[in-house]
Every structure is written in structure tokens, then in C-alpha cells.
Amino acid sequence: LFEKKSDTFRRFDRAARVIIHRAPHRNTSPLPSPNIPKFWRASNRNPAPRKMTTEKGKKQMIKPKAWNPLDSVAAQNLWKKLSTAIDEIHNKNASELSYEELYRTAYNLVLHKHGELLYSNVRDSLKKHMVKLAAMVSACPDDRLLEAISQEWKDHQIALVMIRDVLMYMDRNYVWQHGQMRVYDLGLQIFKDTVVYHEKVRGRLRGLLLRGVAEEREGRLLDQDLMRSILSMLDMVGVDASNVYEEEFETPFLAETKTFYQNESQQFISENTCPDYMKKVEARLYEESLRGAHYLHPSTVPKLNFILETELIENHSKTLIEMENSGCEHMFKEDKHNDLLRMYKLFSKVPKALEELRDAMGEFIKKSGKDLVAQQEASGNKEPNTFVQGLLNLREKFAVICKKAFLGDSKAQKKVVGAFEEFVNVDGRSARYLAHFADDLLRSGLRGMGEEEADSQLEKIILIFRYLQDKDVFENYYKIQLSKRLLSGRSASDECERSMIAKLKGECGYQFTSKLEGMFTDIKMSRDAMDQYRKAGRSKIHGIEMEVNVLTAGYWPTQTVLPCVLPDPLGSCCSAFEGHYLDKHTGRKIAWQTHMGTADLKADFEGRKHELNVTTYQMCILMLYNGADVLSLGQIRDAVTIPEQELRRHLISLCTPKHKILKKASKGKGISEDDTFSFNAEYTSKLKRVKIPMVSAKEGTAAELNDGENKFALPSNVEEDRRHLIEASIVRIMKTRKLLGHNALVAEVSRQLSSRFFPQPQLIKKRIESLIEREYLERDEADRRSYRYLA
Amino acid sequence: PDSMNFHDFKAFYKFVFQFSREGSMKTIEKEIVAALLPMVIGPRSQHTELFVEFLLQSSGNDRVTFDQWNSFLEFSTSVHDLDEYSDEGAWPILLDEYVEWYKSNGKC
């Protein structure tokens, strides 16, 4: 190693050099006086003349010696000394040089006003050496060029340091005063201009660097230290504001990188699956990061990353997402969490791509959800459980995906919720299926379940319920089904019913559930009232035991009462109860809901006696047969006065193959106008007590589906309720505000009703107009876009 | 009516509606309105003819309210560019439907 020996001057001089370095910069001369003694002390820095006293007591002044100007010949000689020294330094032969002497020489030259001479000669000397160097380097063949440059660069740096140290006085005085470039920098510049920019070097250098990178990308090994050395050289020689590194390397490097990855990614993606492509990208990103760490300049790394992200990820994000059989749809379906995680991590670097990924997830959810709804409808809603379970499964699936693959990304979670809300609220079908699910559970599903398990089942309902926008549709069905359950006593568990109500109250507030709770109260009160009635011995009249439920009209689902003539003994039972009740509660009115009751009939058939459990209407029809064996449709109709559709439905139910209580004269399914029905004495059944079920009128669906359009229309009472609610809301708001603009009013109404349903702006407008007509509101004279409350 | 200033005309216009009502009915049959409009507002509104046409062919609205009557005048005087008309605004639904009919029948 030559470094150790001859890059340093003699030891002594090194110490001296250290002292000089420590001196303050610029203004102060590092040396005490022009005539330097051979030795000097570090402490002797103050050049001011001092008074000294001798033994004789006389003062003696120390005067500086006389000034000896240096002429140009002498100067040249001094320079020769330095020139030789510089040569030796370049030749790595500095061990014999005295640093102190050289320093002094340079110092003297500068002091005697020969700075310019010194500086220009130094420059020329450097140039001369560089030219020699360049010639040698440029003659190197390609496979040796980089090494040669690197080596020469290293040597040059060391030499420059030594030269600079020798010329330090000049640097700090002449150079600074005359605005020249400092010696070290000058040396760099000359190196750049002479060696790097040499016509036989420059182009080759650039080419070799780029080729090295390209080959490394293809898998060949590269001398990374050499690269680093060259690149740092390029960086350092850019002293005079010219960015050599950027010009010679960075810009072409980035351009080539871009092209390379553009091509590679294009080709790879067309021949490979999405996960494989992503793995490749990961590998490449890693490789490039190593490159950045090992030999690229730090400033290049962000630019490089930008290109990588654009070419490898951003440009192909859509293709990857939509790739058939291996893209997002497949990954979501098959729960490929690892692949999705990889995609998430990669796409996180490009916000736009990440947003596309989230959108793809949203679309998948919406599509799956819509399929679920359609499937349920196609199956005729036979198994409500399938739908709700399907929804819950979908929900759970994506909860896991968000957690595992998307690392709990909050925007992704929001997207999931939004997607659910969108397809659930396309129309009221989801609400209906959910209500059926609840009905199933509360009717029988929860029977025998422990408290915790039952609770978790009910929670499922609430989870889906939260997505519903039009909650009043759900409530409508729930109310109807609850009334049926309560009246027929078919509730699996009273506790569960109450628990469900409590949960709904928690979600929507007291208003939502107050009527439902009222229904429970009614049932309880009815039970108490019946107990009293029974105790008073009034419940059994004419041998008929009657049980009555008194319902507060406002709480229960409203239905118009269809007329019906009750057979005689029953009529008096009802009157008796009515009398009893109205005595207790004056001022009330009661109406018998004949379409809802049930009756137990004792029937004598040829074989044996049976007990038939039938609806009130069925009972009315059957009771007629106490007086006749055969009756025509017209006769029955006149006697019972039930509306036609219900009449037919009930007649059919009494002559089904399974429960042929009556025999229908005509063949086929329908009832003809002149049909007759005869009592079927031969009826048999294995059971003593038989329930005669009603033939279903396809409850609910006929009324709500428009034929051919297959669109769900709102149940009529939901519509009516909404009208009332909107009007009430408008009046309430206007009463407080007195004067309000149209848009503000619409917004406020929507806000007030949002927990129940979303009111369409057009609907609100319609109600406003209706209220204007009825003189609750008027348009403001000055601003016709505002409304005024009319007291 | 043609020579009145706007303020007076507006009062007159409102009066016509009230006068034409039958007894205690608050609304007027659309055929009568169709006959009245050309007489009362006539050339003051560029929409008179078309609106009448629309009224007569529309299936839903059989009667016209006072609010709708007044709004027609307002509409004729203040809305000049139908592209700027928004059905989210405070205009009666009848006018929303009119604009929609107007646009979809290529009357633009």
C-alpha cells in the first residue's frame, strides 16, 4: 500500500500541518511574522511588538526585520521547487518532501504578491498531469476502463489533498480575495474536463455504466463497489455547478429503466397470472432497492421508485384487478388472502391503484349481494334463513378480508359498508326477507335455545337491519308477523320477543318500538280481562266457550274489516262480551275482527267424531251444514256475506284432497258459479283433533310485485304512513321556523326522518303542495322559493 | 290585459282564477284552465300554447290548484332558459312534468 508511506510528509511536518489547520479561517494570518524562525511555538501567535526589559533596565524594542521584496526570477525559482514537489506527489513519491518547507515556499510567494503566478502555474501543472492521465485512461479497453478510472480517481483525490495542504495559505488568502476556485475544487474540475470528458472516455463511460446496470437486471453479477466508486466520482466532480452525475448517469439511467420495465411488465403480464406478476414485481422492487442502497446516489432513489411504481404498478393496476381467473374476482371468491395482501401492499404505493382495488371490492360485494336477493326471490322466499345467512356470510367474509388482506384499512371498511347498503336498499325485498327470517326465528327457531345462543341469533338480524335505509318497510312486516304470532300464541319465547324489541329500540329509538310494545300490553291485558270474565262465569254461553283478545287499534296493523254474518249462538256470545266490556270502559268502541279468529268445532262424521280447528270464516261456512247437506255457492254466499275472494279461498281450503270436509261438485281446481258443496260424511283422519289449514293467497307477493316488471312496490300502508309522517314533519318544522326556503325544508325533513326511511325529494315536494292547498303553508310573496307557516 | 303593467296584471291574473272557481271548490278543471290561459295571459308567456297542449294530454292532473296557476305566471316571467331549470327547485310538480314533457318531445 503506497498510501501509508508517501501520502504523508515527514512526521514533524505533519504535526506542523495540524497546527496550521486549527488556525481560524480567512482573516487572520496563521503565522506570526514574515520571517519565520526555523522553529516556532504554537503559543506564539501575537505578532504585536512587545516591550522587553533587559538586566540593565533599558527598554528594548523588537522590531520586525526589513521587508525584502521578491523579484520575479526569485519567484520562478520558488515555483520550480513547488512544481517538482507536485510532480513527486503525483508520482506517489512524497515521502522525502518537507511539508513545512513547501508550505513556506507557497506562503512566501503569496505574501510577496506572486499569488497569481502561483495559482496559474498550479493550474497548468494540474492540467498537464491530467492530460497525461487521460491519455493513459482513454487507451484502456472497455473491460478495463472503469477500473482504470476508479483507480486514477482514488489516486488523484489523495494527491489533491496533499497539494491543497501545501497551498493552503494561497487558498485562504489569494484565492478568496480574488474570487478564484479553491485548489481542491480546481483539481476536481480539471479532472472532469480532462479525463471524464475526454472524447474517448466520456461516451464509453456512460455506455459501460448503463450496460452494467442492464446486465445486472438480467441476472449477471456486477462489481457494485466499482460502480459506487465511479458514481460517487461523477457526483463529486460536479463542482462548478454542473451536475455531472445527473447528466452522465442519472438521466440516461432513468430513461433506460423506464423503457426496460415498460417492456418487461408488458410482456410478463400478458403471459402470467396476476399473483405471479405481483411476485415478480415484488422481486424487482426489492432488487432495485438494493441497487439504490449499494451504489446509486441517494437522490436517485425517489426518482427511481417513481418510475418503478408507475411502470410496474400504476400502468397495469386495472389489468391486474380485472384479470380473468386470477384477478380480484377470483381472489375474493376463493379467499386468497395472501395474494390480496400482496396486492394491497403493492397498490399502497400508488393511491390511485389502491382506490381501484377498493372499488373492485365494492363492486364484487354489490354483485354478490344482488345475486343473493335474486336467488331468494327465485326460490319464492321459502327459506328466509338462506338469504340472511348468505348476507351474514358475505359480511363475515369481507370482514376477514379487510383485516387480513387489507390490514384493517379504514377506507376499505367504509367501502364494504357502503356496498352492502347499496344493494340492500335497491328495493324493499331485503327488508321483507329479513323480516321473514325474524319471524321464523321468533316462531320456532329459537325454541329450546340457551340465552346466549338465542341472543346471538337475534344479533344477526340487527347486523343486517343496520344496513337498511327504509326501516319502516321492515317494521311493517315485523308488525304484521308479530300480531299473528301473538294472536295465535305461536311465539317460541316471550323473553326472546321482548329481547328483539329491546334491540330494535336500541337501534332506532323509542318511537320505533312503542307500538310494538303496546301490542304486548294488549295481549296481557286481554288475558287478565278474560280471567275476570271467566271467573264471573260469563264466558260460557250456549255451551260455547269464548276467548277474546281486545286490541288497541292504533298499535296493531290496520286492516279493513270485512263483513261477515256470525251464526246465531255466536252472535249472542259476542254481544254479551261487548256489553260487559263497554260497561267497564265507557266511551270506547269495539269492532269484531272476524277475519282473524279461530274456532274449534266438534264434528260428527260417519267414522268417528273429530275436533276441527278452523278459522272464523270456515266455521261460518261449516255451521251452515247443520241445516243442510248440500249447498250451492250462491246460497253460501248469501248466508255468510264474506267477500268473494275470501269466500272462494275458504271454500277451497275445505275441500282439498287432504282435508275434504266438503265435496265440491265440479271437477278441477276452480269454483264455478253454479258449483255445489256437499258435506263429506266419509271424511277420516288419523288425528282426533285436526287443524284445517288455509290455502295461501300468496300472501304479500301478489300485492307487491308488478307483473312483468318484477319490481318491488311499497306496501300500501307503508306509503300511507310515509305521507303522514312527511306532512307531520313539514308542519312541525314550519311551525318553529315560520319562514323557510325550499331546499332547507327538504333537507330538514330528510334529516328528521332519516332514522326511519329516506324520503324522496319529489315526495316531499308533493306533500308541500298538498299542504299549500289545504292552507297550512303559503309561498312567500317576496321569494317564491320559500314557504311561510299559516297559523 | 295586454296594456296593464306587470303589477296590475298579476293581480288581475290571480283574480281570474278565483273568479273562475265553482262555488267552494278550490281547484279548476284543467279544460277550463286550458281555455282561460290563452285569454288571460296569452302572448305574455311564450309557454302558453305548449302548456295548454301539455295540460290537455297529461293523464294525471285533472284539476289545477291556485298555487299551480300562480306558479305558471311566475315561471313564464322568470325562467328563460329551460336548461337551467331544476326539478329539485321549489316549482310545483306540475311544472316539473311540463318541462320534462317539453324536453322529451323535442320542443327545444
Side-chain angles (χ1 to χ4, degrees):
Chain A
L1 306 173
F2 91 98
E3 290 89 34
K4 291 307 166 193
K5 276 234 155 153
S6 33
D7 69 338
T8 56
F9 298 100
R10 287 188 310 215
R11 244 175 142 220
F12 172 68
D13 301 316
R14 195 148 40 117
R17 186 161 39 124
V18 166
I19 294 167
I20 292 166
H21 280 222
R22 278 212 221 106
H25 181 52
R26 274 204 212 149
N27 294 335
T28 42
S29 156
L31 296 174
S33 63
N35 287 345
I36 323 161
K38 274 264 184 196
F39 303 91
W40 68 91
R41 284 186 294 258
S43 58
N44 195 0
R45 295 203 185 184
N46 189 348
R50 278 187 278 175
K51 295 199 179 158
M52 255 175 68
T53 41
T54 61
E55 308 92 352
K56 289 187 189 156
K58 268 203 227 159
K59 290 199 186 149
Q60 195 177 10
M61 296 282 275
I62 297 180
K63 284 192 225 157
K65 268 213 174 133
W67 174 261
N68 296 331
L70 210 57
D71 62 19
S72 46
V73 174
Q76 283 291 357
N77 287 338
L78 286 182
W79 162 246
K80 274 217 183 52
K81 235 200 270 186
L82 283 171
S83 175
T84 327
I86 291 175
D87 287 344
E88 292 302 323
I89 289 173
H90 273 125
N91 293 334
K92 303 178 193 168
N93 218 359
S95 56
E96 297 305 314
L97 300 174
S98 158
Y99 171 71
E100 185 270 324
E101 193 186 324
L102 293 171
Y103 186 92
R104 193 174 13 112
T105 315
Y107 171 79
N108 273 323
L109 277 173
V110 175
L111 195 69
H112 288 89
K113 313 281 187 222
H114 293 292
E116 193 184 324
L117 172 90
L118 179 58
Y119 189 81
S120 54
N121 277 324
V122 165
R123 185 171 50 214
D124 291 341
S125 162
L126 285 174
K127 270 208 187 112
K128 201 174 72 194
H129 279 280
M130 292 298 104
V131 166
K132 240 195 322 183
L133 205 68
M136 188 199 56
V137 161
S138 62
C140 279
D142 279 0
D143 59 346
R144 289 248 341 118
L145 182 63
L146 291 185
E147 242 179 86
I149 296 179
S150 176
Q151 190 56 56
E152 293 309 322
W153 164 248
K154 285 199 182 99
D155 294 346
H156 181 63
Q157 280 180 301
I158 294 167
L160 270 187
V161 165
M162 290 168 70
I163 295 171
R164 176 201 63 193
D165 286 346
V166 166
L167 301 174
M168 187 159 297
Y169 186 77
M170 180 184 77
D171 249 356
R172 288 184 172 172
N173 288 279
Y174 170 79
V175 164
W176 169 72
Q177 280 163 13
H178 289 78
Q180 298 278 29
M181 203 185 275
R182 300 177 46 172
V183 171
Y184 190 83
D185 296 342
L186 182 67
L188 293 180
Q189 186 189 47
I190 294 177
F191 184 86
K192 171 190 76 165
D193 288 333
T194 326
V195 180
V196 178
Y197 282 179
H198 190 280
E199 56 173 11
K200 288 226 185 75
V201 173
R202 189 175 188 176
R204 285 201 291 156
L205 174 63
R206 192 195 286 202
L208 284 169
L209 290 173
L210 294 176
R211 180 141 54 95
V213 170
E215 282 176 1
E216 196 183 35
R217 283 188 179 139
E218 272 158 36
R220 281 185 63 176
L221 284 182
L222 183 67
D223 186 343
Q224 296 190 328
D225 290 335
L226 180 59
M227 283 295 276
R228 181 172 51 239
S229 155
I230 299 279
L231 291 182
S232 90
M233 169 206 68
L234 288 177
D235 183 41
M236 290 206 259
V237 293
V239 281
D240 53 354
S242 61
N243 203 333
V244 184
Y245 172 76
E246 223 176 77
E247 265 174 47
E248 296 306 311
F249 175 72
E250 198 190 53
T251 314
F253 164 74
L254 291 175
E256 270 201 17
T257 306
K258 185 172 159 124
T259 325
F260 175 77
Y261 280 120
Q262 222 168 45
N263 293 337
E264 188 184 73
S265 66
Q266 209 96 280
Q267 197 191 16
F268 201 83
I269 205 173
S270 64
E271 294 169 2
N272 285 277
T273 64
C274 168
D276 286 340
Y277 177 84
M278 291 199 291
K279 285 192 190 122
K280 175 99 178 149
V281 168
E282 259 185 4
R284 278 300 192 197
L285 288 178
Y286 180 65
E287 187 196 311
E288 293 293 334
S289 77
L290 289 181
R291 182 164 294 124
H294 286 159
Y295 57 82
L296 295 179
H297 192 273
S299 72
T300 310
V301 174
K303 298 177 197 170
L304 174 63
N305 283 340
F306 179 74
I307 289 181
L308 292 171
E309 286 157 14
T310 316
E311 296 304 321
L312 294 175
I313 301 176
E314 191 175 339
N315 289 354
H316 298 287
S317 60
K318 226 162 156 30
T319 321
L320 285 171
I321 289 176
E322 293 171 2
M323 203 181 267
E324 271 198 53
N325 299 330
S326 65
C328 280
E329 205 177 309
H330 170 81
M331 291 196 281
F332 285 134
K333 223 190 280 192
E334 306 295 324
D335 293 315
K336 300 268 188 215
H337 293 155
N338 288 334
D339 290 335
L340 284 169
L341 179 62
R342 183 170 285 121
M343 188 178 255
Y344 179 75
K345 283 204 202 134
L346 282 180
F347 282 23
S348 299
K349 300 174 193 282
V350 182
K352 189 177 83 143
L354 196 58
E355 198 53 40
E356 280 171 11
L357 177 58
R358 290 193 199 109
D359 286 342
M361 178 171 69
E363 290 309 305
F364 183 86
I365 294 175
K366 278 186 236 174
K367 184 165 163 300
S368 305
K370 286 188 183 146
D371 285 345
L372 270 177
V373 175
Q375 266 171 27
Q376 188 67 12
E377 182 165 327
S379 77
N381 196 22
K382 286 210 181 69
E383 287 289 318
N385 193 41
T386 351
F387 175 72
V388 172
Q389 199 51 52
L391 278 188
L392 291 168
N393 290 346
L394 189 64
R395 187 178 174 283
E396 181 61 29
K397 179 192 186 78
F398 278 92
V400 172
I401 286 181
C402 275
K403 194 165 85 151
K404 284 204 183 151
F406 294 166
L407 305 176
D409 182 60
S410 66
K411 279 192 191 160
Q413 284 170 336
K414 276 200 194 114
K415 211 30 128 313
V416 171
V417 173
F420 266 90
E421 282 178 357
E422 214 181 289
F423 78 76
V424 160
N425 289 308
V426 160
D427 56 31
R429 281 179 290 177
S430 303
R432 184 153 64 98
Y433 299 150
L434 184 64
H436 275 280
F437 176 74
D439 188 45
D440 252 20
L441 267 189
L442 289 164
R443 225 175 239 273
S444 52
L446 293 175
R447 207 185 291 276
M449 270 194 203
E451 195 182 313
E452 260 181 54
E453 199 186 334
D455 195 69
S456 78
Q457 291 284 64
L458 292 177
E459 259 310 301
K460 286 186 190 176
I461 303 176
I462 294 292
L463 285 178
I464 308 289
F465 179 74
R466 281 199 191 117
Y467 293 128
L468 289 178
Q469 191 185 61
D470 290 345
K471 295 185 164 67
D472 57 351
V473 176
F474 175 85
E475 191 219 23
N476 182 57
Y477 288 115
Y478 190 82
K479 212 179 351 178
I480 295 173
Q481 288 156 348
L482 177 64
S483 84
K484 286 195 185 132
R485 285 199 301 275
L486 287 176
L487 290 174
S488 56
R490 283 206 195 287
S491 206
S493 140
D494 213 36
E495 238 178 75
C496 291
E497 295 276 358
R498 295 221 176 251
S499 168
M500 185 71 215
I501 305 271
K503 286 185 196 286
L504 287 174
K505 185 151 70 164
E507 284 297 310
C508 299
Y510 170 69
Q511 288 276 34
F512 195 81
T513 52
S514 58
K515 288 190 188 151
L516 301 172
E517 290 182 351
M519 288 159 80
F520 280 96
T521 322
D522 277 348
I523 294 289
K524 184 165 184 308
M525 300 225 321
S526 295
R527 242 167 248 162
D528 292 344
M530 276 318 298
D531 280 342
Q532 274 183 347
Y533 196 60
R534 252 189 290 268
K535 277 201 190 107
R538 322 257 305 261
S539 63
K540 197 155 180 169
I541 300 179
H542 300 298
I544 301 174
E545 176 86 33
M546 193 159 96
E547 189 171 315
V548 182
N549 277 319
V550 183
L551 315 174
T552 313
Y555 297 157
W556 296 75
T558 45
Q559 271 170 334
T560 42
V561 185
L562 308 169
C564 165
V565 171
L566 293 172
D568 270 330
L570 269 176
S572 30
C573 285
C574 291
S575 316
F577 180 84
E578 210 170 309
H580 163 87
Y581 184 83
L582 291 174
D583 278 342
K584 290 208 150 172
H585 307 275
T586 45
R588 290 193 190 177
K589 222 176 77 161
I590 60 177
W592 293 94
Q593 308 283 298
T594 46
H595 58 284
M596 288 209 271
T598 57
D600 289 335
L601 288 176
K602 290 203 180 80
D604 287 333
F605 296 97
E606 220 160 78
R608 58 199 262 227
K609 298 194 206 286
H610 285 285
E611 203 175 284
L612 303 174
N613 179 253
V614 293
T615 68
T616 311
Y617 290 162
Q618 285 171 327
M619 170 204 61
C620 294
I621 295 170
L622 288 177
M623 292 287 277
L624 296 174
Y625 284 86
N626 279 337
D629 275 335
V630 185
L631 289 167
S632 74
L633 175 67
Q635 286 173 308
I636 301 179
R637 185 192 293 139
D638 291 336
V640 189
T641 68
I642 314 172
E644 192 65 22
Q645 205 190 9
E646 283 301 307
L647 178 65
R648 282 170 182 267
R649 192 158 77 97
H650 283 81
L651 279 170
I652 300 274
S653 69
L654 290 169
C655 45
T656 56
K658 221 177 169 197
H659 302 283
K660 217 179 204 136
I661 315 289
L662 299 175
K663 280 189 287 196
K664 182 164 73 82
S666 70
K667 300 272 182 269
K669 276 206 162 178
I671 302 179
S672 56
E673 187 50 44
D674 54 355
D675 226 330
T676 55
F677 298 86
S678 49
F679 178 71
N680 180 17
E682 289 109 35
Y683 172 79
T684 53
S685 168
K686 289 205 189 79
L687 306 161
K688 171 119 179 57
R689 188 183 146 82
V690 188
K691 175 164 162 63
I692 312 292
M694 273 308 304
V695 177
S696 83
K698 294 180 187 49
E699 47 138 15
T701 51
E704 282 145 22
L705 292 177
N706 298 337
D707 289 290
E709 272 183 34
N710 207 30
K711 275 189 89 180
F712 183 94
L714 289 176
S716 54
N717 40 316
V718 173
E719 264 187 21
E720 208 182 305
D721 280 347
R722 286 188 180 182
R723 282 202 287 272
H724 292 308
L725 283 172
I726 292 176
E727 287 192 357
S729 176
I730 293 172
V731 171
R732 206 169 35 237
I733 294 168
M734 291 308 296
K735 199 165 177 180
T736 336
R737 306 286 282 265
K738 303 289 185 222
L739 181 67
L740 193 59
H742 176 85
N743 291 338
L745 180 58
V746 169
E748 189 60 26
V749 170
S750 300
R751 205 185 58 80
Q752 277 197 7
L753 298 172
S754 63
S755 66
R756 231 177 124 67
F757 68 99
F758 174 71
Q760 300 290 345
Q762 285 291 55
L763 187 57
I764 300 179
K765 214 207 272 208
K766 211 164 174 160
R767 298 334 304 163
I768 294 177
E769 274 184 60
S770 168
L771 288 170
I772 291 179
E773 216 183 305
R774 281 138 62 196
E775 295 180 10
Y776 281 86
L777 308 173
E778 67 175 1
R779 287 189 199 270
D780 186 41
E781 267 302 312
D783 173 17
R784 65 169 322 284
R785 279 187 313 261
S786 295
Y787 306 103
R788 192 184 290 280
Y789 181 69
L790 291 172
Chain B
D2 289 339
S3 55
M4 277 187 204
N5 65 39
F6 185 69
H7 182 77
D8 291 339
F9 175 74
K10 198 162 161 190
F12 172 68
Y13 181 79
K14 285 188 176 175
F15 168 75
V16 170
F17 184 91
Q18 300 296 2
F19 185 75
S20 311
R21 288 193 299 121
E22 289 165 12
S24 60
M25 303 276 277
K26 291 233 171 118
T27 55
I28 304 184
E29 270 182 50
K30 69 178 181 187
E31 285 84 9
I32 298 182
V33 169
L36 280 173
L37 276 179
M39 277 196 288
V40 180
I41 194 171
R44 282 192 194 240
S45 164
Q46 53 177 315
H47 291 284
T48 313
E49 272 176 45
L50 293 168
F51 188 69
V52 164
E53 192 186 324
F54 160 74
L55 256 190
L56 291 173
Q57 62 83 51
S58 76
S59 51
N61 319 287
D62 291 322
R63 308 192 68 91
V64 175
T65 66
F66 191 41
D67 181 46
Q68 288 164 335
W69 173 265
N70 287 334
S71 300
F72 179 70
L73 176 62
E74 198 69 40
F75 172 78
S76 302
T77 48
S78 63
V79 174
H80 300 290
D81 181 5
L82 282 190
D83 285 330
E84 285 178 359
Y85 182 93
S86 157
D87 66 355
E88 306 260 310
W91 298 105
I93 292 185
L94 182 67
L95 287 176
D96 291 344
E97 291 173 352
Y98 168 65
V99 172
E100 203 186 304
W101 172 87
Y102 184 98
K103 285 188 178 161
S104 66
N105 282 357
K107 305 282 182 180
C108 299

